[in-house]
Amino acid sequence: MADEWEQVVSPAPATEPPGPPARPLDAVDRDILRILQTDGRASIRSVADRVHVSRANAYARINRLIDDGVIRGFSARVNHERAGHGASAYITLKIVQNSWRTVREQLQALPGAAHIALVSGDFDVLLLVHTPDNRSLRELVLTKLQSIPEVLSTRTLLVFEETDLDPDH
């Protein structure tokens, strides 16, 4: 059953402009999402059994959720330290006005970039990075980030400990 997902899933990149509005979700759709958030490797048969629909119905619903952009893809939750990335940081950036798209493209290419958000407040961008060590983090901030012409300033917040929250909460 796990091979089904390789044939079914081809999510759109996160940077793709939003398409038409997603169709409303019903209780079964929300249950499917909860199951897949908890276990992205759940088979279609398992999902169908747990939400009390046929395999064909579960398959169609999951494909619709993917097509509508509700499900952007499937991934593994990684312990970054055990995976060789012992240093993590949130980095705030102030950028030149109207340069978001250009900056985003450059940030996506950074090694270790895990999450990028355009935000409001005292800074413009919040970037989460995972690097092998503090020396690599220093190199990323001082050499790569600060050499982007549209980046006006950065502030680095070291992550001492991380806890992934259960998707049900």
Side-chain angles (χ1 to χ4, degrees):
M1 293 291 164
D3 292 337
E4 290 175 343
W5 289 117
E6 293 178 64
Q7 298 167 1
V8 173
V9 179
S10 57
T15 59
E16 188 174 287
R23 292 165 269 201
L25 303 182
D26 63 15
V28 174
D29 292 329
R30 287 188 294 277
D31 286 346
I32 289 171
L33 289 174
R34 190 178 65 254
I35 291 166
L36 293 176
Q37 283 178 301
T38 303
D39 180 7
R41 294 176 49 159
S43 68
I44 291 177
R45 180 183 305 274
S46 167
V47 170
D49 289 346
R50 291 169 64 186
V51 299
H52 311 292
V53 298
S54 69
R55 276 185 71 218
N57 188 329
Y59 187 84
R61 282 175 178 266
I62 292 168
N63 278 332
R64 178 178 49 80
L65 292 167
I66 292 167
D67 292 344
D68 284 356
V70 175
I71 295 176
R72 295 185 302 166
F74 299 87
S75 63
R77 291 173 36 190
V78 176
N79 179 321
H80 297 287
E81 190 169 357
R82 292 186 60 88
H85 288 108
S88 295
Y90 284 97
I91 303 169
T92 65
L93 295 86
K94 288 187 181 182
I95 61 173
V96 172
Q97 191 171 3
N98 296 319
S99 66
W100 164 241
R101 286 175 186 81
T102 302
V103 171
R104 179 182 59 201
E105 287 176 17
Q106 294 175 72
L107 296 178
Q108 288 172 324
L110 289 174
H115 184 84
I116 304 165
L118 178 65
V119 298
S120 65
D122 293 337
F123 49 89
D124 304 305
V125 177
L126 183 62
L127 170 67
L128 172 62
V129 297
H130 303 288
T131 62
D133 51 37
N134 282 342
R135 182 180 303 272
S136 301
L137 177 59
R138 178 181 180 276
E139 181 72 17
L140 185 131
V141 173
L142 298 180
T143 304
K144 294 188 167 81
L145 275 179
Q146 292 182 357
S147 70
I148 298 172
E150 297 85 359
V151 173
L152 301 173
S153 67
T154 64
R155 177 172 284 162
T156 303
L157 307 165
L158 290 177
V159 174
F160 295 128
E161 186 176 316
E162 291 182 272
T163 302
D164 284 337
L165 300 178
D166 185 337
D168 288 337
H169 295 104

